Amino acid sequence: MHLRLLAVLALFAALASSLGAPSGGPSHSKHPIHSKRPIRRVVIVGGTHGNEYTGVWCIKSLEATRVESLERPYPSLDVSTLLGNPAAHSMNRRFVDTDLNREFSEDKLLDTAAAAAAVGEEGLPLTVESLRAREIDAILGPKFDMDRTTDVVIDLHSTTSNMGTTVIIPEGDALMAQAAAYVLHQCNRDRDDDDRGEARVLLHTIPKRENRPNLSSTGRHGFTVEVGPVPQGVLRHDAVENTQRAVRAVLEFLERRNREGEHAILRELRGRYPRGRVPCFRSAPARVDGEMSGKIRWPSDDDNPNFPGAVVHRSLQDRDFHPIRRGDPLFVELDGSIVEYDGSHGEEVYLIFVNEGGYYYRSSGTGIGVAVKAEFDLEHGRLMDAPALASDNKDMSKEKEKEEKEECASVQGDCVE
């Protein structure tokens, strides 16, 4: 309790200095804008998970070199930064009570607002993260007021998994799809094959923005950058550089789109992707309400739900974005017996966030992410002829659905770092 009180005090101390607006101010550019809907307000978030230091370093670096890093190269954009979870960051923890990156669905935000009205009657009924989510929603949004919400939220994460540079976007957001294609090009331009390059695109397929629980969904457009492998609470120069490269590419895309026009940048991207199709991975659909996407869950220890009851098989370690087939080794149990992949998501799928340290926490969603190779349409951001997953079947038996919901009752999102 003492620890939580300190965290709450740290949170409100941070809010007192940052609540009015994220760090940085408007540039009020006089440069002409040549696009159907220009992008003005961009917020770059680091530290949504407090022990992911890469994003925090990157936003601090941007503020330390604001003129050179932001104002001169991107004069049409009003770019600011925000520390996502200051309380958890000060404690070098992923979160204090619950995963902040699972707190931004419509249901969660509305529940938090209702519970906040009761503060004072019975002490503090909300978690540190639910309170912080409400404050962030006020700063970046409100999420459900499209006239006032931030144009683009770029959320910076690191992962203990071997994900390289992965940009995560929602399916159907044409602007973010084009931004992702631009980042893929910029980060992989010295390579021959984007599928084997250091940068990849991951599409989530939750169609309704109000159902997305991740922080970047508070903006009109959300863009997440994942870089790994990086241990929790550690800074690696190469990871910082890869993150900075991706951020520069996103901002460059938005600046060029504002100044040169939507059609000019699309023409350039079509030159890179002549068929108008961009390689990506698409995550497995969520099976439980509140999830971002599906996972293969490992069993949890009887005495500690955050401790796995099985370890990821050595043949899968550091093999993110590699295929696994029915019958391949998946987990090793305490007695040494091997659990094989049972084909529950398809005969062959690709694994993502393999042995991610943040997914040892039940509130973040335990297990390994699942995806398939796909392509999206450059102009509209829609998946094109994506391979089917067994988990795409929406007609699961009621018994199976009930079993999975009970198993994951406390999980409020999956596969969104």
Side-chain angles (χ1 to χ4, degrees):
M1 179 62 73
H2 178 65
L3 188 64
R4 187 166 182 269
L5 264 176
L6 288 176
V8 173
L9 290 173
L11 170 65
F12 285 114
L15 289 177
S17 62
S18 68
L19 229 175
S23 300
S27 55
H28 301 297
S29 168
K30 294 182 180 179
H31 289 267
I33 304 296
H34 303 291
S35 67
K36 195 162 46 182
R37 183 186 178 94
I39 296 299
R40 293 290 193 186
R41 188 180 176 212
V42 179
V43 178
I44 304 173
V45 182
T48 298
H49 295 132
N51 58 3
E52 294 179 8
Y53 281 8
T54 304
V56 179
W57 178 275
C58 288
I59 64 172
K60 286 179 177 290
S61 177
L62 287 171
E63 291 299 340
T65 59
R66 167 164 283 278
V67 173
E68 299 83 0
S69 298
L70 296 174
E71 294 177 6
R72 285 179 185 163
Y74 317 113
S76 75
L77 303 176
D78 169 10
V79 183
S80 52
T81 63
L82 179 70
L83 178 59
N85 195 337
H89 178 61
S90 69
M91 302 165 69
N92 189 19
R93 292 172 57 173
R94 180 176 175 89
F95 51 80
V96 178
D97 294 315
T98 56
D99 194 324
L100 179 61
N101 215 28
R102 309 292 185 267
E103 294 287 339
F104 294 92
S105 67
E106 182 177 30
D107 288 344
K108 282 269 192 169
L109 289 172
L110 291 177
D111 287 347
T112 299
V119 171
E121 295 177 9
E122 298 180 4
L124 191 66
L126 302 175
T127 67
V128 168
E129 279 74 25
S130 61
L131 285 168
R132 182 56 174 161
R134 191 166 178 242
E135 303 292 353
I136 289 174
D137 185 51
I139 294 169
L140 302 183
K143 177 174 179 175
F144 305 108
D145 184 345
M146 295 301 285
D147 291 330
R148 291 194 293 155
T149 193
T150 301
D151 289 324
V152 178
V153 175
I154 303 171
D155 196 13
L156 308 181
H157 289 262
S158 57
T159 170
T160 62
S161 301
N162 190 26
M163 294 284 285
T165 300
T166 301
V167 297
I168 304 175
I169 58 172
E171 184 189 4
D173 187 328
L175 179 66
M176 293 298 93
Q178 292 157 24
Y182 193 90
V183 171
L184 202 64
H185 180 195
Q186 294 298 96
C187 291
N188 293 331
R189 55 186 170 183
D190 296 327
R191 301 170 184 267
D192 295 329
D193 185 344
D194 281 334
D195 278 340
R196 298 175 187 170
E198 67 163 358
R200 301 176 180 90
V201 178
L202 176 65
L203 257 71
H204 282 321
T205 53
I206 296 181
K208 293 184 178 180
R209 181 168 161 265
E210 57 266 29
N211 293 336
R212 299 172 195 155
N214 53 314
L215 186 149
S216 64
S217 70
T218 55
R220 182 177 286 107
H221 304 281
F223 193 95
T224 299
V225 178
E226 284 279 0
V227 172
V230 183
Q232 296 174 347
V234 170
L235 283 168
R236 285 184 50 155
H237 188 205
D238 56 347
V240 168
E241 287 186 321
N242 288 339
T243 304
Q244 290 173 328
R245 184 182 301 116
V247 171
R248 284 195 301 269
V250 180
L251 296 177
E252 182 178 283
F253 166 81
L254 295 173
E255 174 68 22
R256 290 188 58 193
R257 182 181 180 277
N258 279 351
R259 299 189 62 187
E260 299 173 22
E262 177 184 14
H263 298 299
I265 199 89
L266 260 177
R267 278 195 301 271
E268 180 177 315
L269 287 171
R270 288 192 188 103
R272 173 62 176 169
Y273 307 99
R275 296 166 56 237
R277 302 164 76 109
V278 182
C280 69
F281 289 81
R282 73 102 161 167
S283 58
R287 291 183 168 187
V288 178
D289 289 342
E291 293 182 343
M292 280 295 289
S293 58
K295 286 181 180 174
I296 302 171
R297 287 181 174 77
W298 52 61
S300 295
D301 184 79
D302 291 338
D303 299 321
N304 179 358
N306 297 324
F307 189 84
V311 65
V312 174
H313 192 274
R314 57 182 165 78
S315 64
L316 304 181
Q317 187 61 50
D318 302 321
R319 300 275 292 172
D320 298 80
F321 296 108
H322 284 75
I324 186 172
R325 299 171 181 86
R326 182 194 292 269
D328 286 350
L330 182 62
F331 299 124
V332 179
E333 296 184 319
L334 287 168
D335 62 2
S337 59
I338 294 175
V339 177
E340 297 177 346
Y341 172 56
D342 63 2
S344 57
H345 287 272
E347 291 295 316
E348 177 181 285
V349 295
Y350 289 77
L351 299 183
I352 55 176
F353 293 109
V354 175
N355 210 11
E356 158 58 37
Y359 292 168
Y360 279 52
Y361 299 101
R362 190 170 182 181
S363 72
S364 297
T366 58
I368 304 174
V370 180
V372 292
K373 270 189 175 183
E375 294 177 312
F376 65 85
D377 168 45
L378 181 61
E379 190 163 349
H380 304 292
R382 294 289 181 189
L383 285 164
M384 303 182 71
D385 306 320
L389 283 156
S391 48
D392 286 339
N393 182 11
K394 306 299 183 185
D395 299 323
M396 290 188 298
S397 71
K398 294 294 181 183
E399 183 179 345
K400 179 69 174 174
E401 186 175 5
K402 180 180 178 183
E403 176 186 322
E404 292 192 350
K405 285 187 176 181
E406 287 174 351
E407 177 188 352
C408 308
S410 67
V411 178
Q412 291 301 319
D414 270 351
C415 267
V416 52
E417 232 291 318

